[in-house]
Amino acid sequence: MPLCFIEPQDAIRVIAESVGREARRQLLCEVVRAWVDEIPDDELQVHYAKAVNDLDEEDLSMLAAWHASLEVGQPIANKDFLVNTFSTLGEHRREALRIAAGFRGDEAFECGASEEQALDTVLPWLTEERSLELAAEALDLYCWDRLGCEN
């Protein structure tokens, strides 16, 4: 009997197509988190600027409130301000990008953008190791979704 092997990124795609809406949303959040972890430090600013540029006023306000929690000055819910202060966030830059990209992803999800588009954009950036970790997380989400467990 032949054995079939599937690449981790393909497994993630299959699982994303096999789970319900909430599990899919959680999986996409994990995919974004993994993507942010893989971005080289010198490219973080560019990706943050792109993510912030697409945010609406409500999301900008929430991102500014997060900035305020770090006490890096008096934040303003303004795209230019948030992008210009990104470099002052130090070790918190990746978390800022995760938050901004997460807001952007939530909006795309609500507007009906396909998970497939998000996966096609993000998965190729992941290392093999990170893809394996993400596939394991996807499998956990699949079980959670199929077993109907409480979140």
Side-chain angles (χ1 to χ4, degrees), residues 27-133:
L27 179 56
L28 287 176
C29 287
E30 291 302 320
V31 168
V32 168
R33 178 173 291 283
W35 169 70
V36 170
D37 289 344
E38 296 289 319
I39 296 173
D41 286 342
D42 61 336
E43 295 178 19
L44 289 173
Q45 176 86 30
V46 172
H47 290 286
Y48 183 73
K50 286 179 186 177
V52 168
N53 191 50
D54 291 338
L55 298 180
D56 63 21
E57 294 301 319
E58 182 180 335
D59 291 338
L60 288 171
S61 293
M62 289 191 289
L63 186 57
W66 179 82
H67 276 249
S69 72
L70 297 176
E71 299 177 4
V72 292
Q74 183 61 34
I76 302 167
N78 171 284
K79 293 175 184 182
D80 291 333
F81 174 83
L82 293 170
V83 169
N84 290 334
T85 60
F86 182 74
S87 61
T88 65
L89 298 176
E91 66 186 45
H92 302 288
R93 292 178 309 143
R94 286 189 191 277
E95 187 60 27
L97 178 53
R98 281 185 199 103
I99 293 168
F103 288 150
R104 187 175 170 204
D106 284 346
E107 286 179 12
F109 193 84
E110 291 299 324
C111 292
S114 78
E115 297 84 17
E116 189 175 316
Q117 289 172 317
L119 295 174
D120 287 345
T121 302
V122 173
L123 288 178
W125 289 91
L126 302 181
T127 62
E128 182 71 20
E129 180 181 339
R130 190 61 178 117
S131 294
L132 284 169
E133 291 171 12

